Amino acid sequence: MLEVCVDTLEGAIAAMKGGAVRVELCSSLSEGGLTPSAGLMQAASKLTIPCYAMIRPRCGLFHFSHDEVGIMLADIEMARQSGLAGVVVGAQHADGTLDMSVLAKLVEAAGPLGKTLHRVIDVVPDPLLAVDQAVLLGFDRVLTSGAQPTAPEGVEMIARMVKRANSQLSVMPGCGLTANNVAEVMTLTGASEAHAACNQPAHGDPAFSDFDPPGGRFETSENEVREMKQAMGTRAT
């Protein structure tokens, strides 16, 4: 199962056509993914592929103020009203541990929507404890690079997280996955789904420093999604 993160409607359509089973809908993937606009949520909800909204009001780590939590709750309600399939959330205390109180509020607000705990789990002191906490909170999955910069570097920890979860939730490797390494990562970790951007540099518009992120703008590639799916099919059993 392949989830693709996108920040445009065109990207969601490309992911769907390429064979992804789910979309993580964001804005500003250049900053790690922020909350998509209401209009993008509503447009994506009309697609035939399940779309989960990233709920992240700003870039940076995940110790949120009271006001930011209020914004996140309102954004979750917008995702529900828009008809999306799920939300992607995370929150931590100043000491780095998961903020169970805030997360419980976000989970409750999501109600019947699918719920993914994002890569906040990669910046907590104890990722294995965080897996236990995610189970207690009722998450369906956690997205992780195994507390390393990329999932291929974090395969040992991801495998331990998969074992710790004991099928109570899905541990989904993400970050740095390509068609060349995804099969190996899934084999080494025992994961059943993966998360990737499957993007390439955007073509057509000239780069302009005031409007484009550092390194230029990227867009989802239907071909790269398809290649990733094909590579996942070669996973050793």
Side-chain angles (χ1 to χ4, degrees):
M1 295 178 63
L2 174 63
E3 175 182 277
V4 175
C5 54
V6 308
D7 57 7
T8 65
L9 181 62
E10 291 77 10
I13 293 170
M16 178 179 65
K17 289 182 176 179
V21 299
R22 186 173 55 248
V23 160
E24 180 191 84
L25 194 67
C26 306
S27 68
S28 303
L29 280 178
S30 60
E31 299 198 32
L34 303 179
T35 306
S37 70
L40 182 53
M41 290 189 201
Q42 291 164 5
S45 71
K46 296 178 174 63
L47 302 179
T48 57
I49 187 171
C51 295
Y52 280 42
M54 170 63 74
I55 305 297
R56 184 177 175 224
R58 56 161 173 78
C59 62
L61 292 181
F62 311 104
H63 179 216
F64 296 112
S65 69
H66 174 77
D67 289 339
E68 287 172 328
V69 172
I71 291 169
M72 295 165 74
L73 291 171
D75 287 337
I76 291 172
E77 180 59 25
M78 177 56 66
R80 290 186 63 174
Q81 291 179 8
S82 297
L84 295 186
V87 292
V88 182
V89 301
Q92 63 189 154
H93 292 292
D95 65 3
T97 59
L98 289 185
D99 190 328
M100 296 292 283
S101 176
V102 167
L103 286 172
K105 291 178 183 178
L106 301 179
V107 167
E108 181 180 11
L113 299 185
K115 291 168 277 288
T116 299
L117 180 68
H118 61 47
R119 289 186 60 212
V120 64
I121 202 167
D122 291 326
V123 290
V124 298
D126 187 344
L128 297 179
L129 173 61
V131 169
D132 296 339
Q133 293 173 318
V135 170
L136 288 173
L137 287 163
F139 281 95
D140 304 304
R141 71 185 52 79
V142 297
L143 169 61
T144 180
S145 62
Q148 295 294 325
T150 68
E153 296 171 273
V155 288
E156 181 179 347
M157 175 58 75
I158 297 171
R160 294 174 65 191
M161 294 167 75
V162 169
K163 183 176 180 180
R164 184 71 164 248
N166 194 29
S167 300
Q168 296 177 89
L169 53 69
S170 174
V171 176
M172 179 170 61
C175 191
L177 293 181
T178 69
N180 293 326
N181 62 28
V182 66
E184 181 181 18
V185 167
M186 296 187 74
T187 298
L188 292 174
T189 61
S192 61
E193 53 184 341
H195 171 102
C198 298
N199 59 15
Q200 61 185 12
H203 299 291
D205 295 334
F208 192 81
S209 59
D210 284 358
F211 303 132
D212 286 332
R217 187 171 65 87
F218 282 70
E219 58 190 7
T220 308
S221 166
E222 179 182 336
N223 287 336
E224 290 201 18
V225 175
R226 187 172 292 109
E227 289 174 4
M228 179 82 75
K229 284 282 291 184
Q230 292 171 346
M232 291 171 69
T234 67
R235 174 185 175 181
T237 57

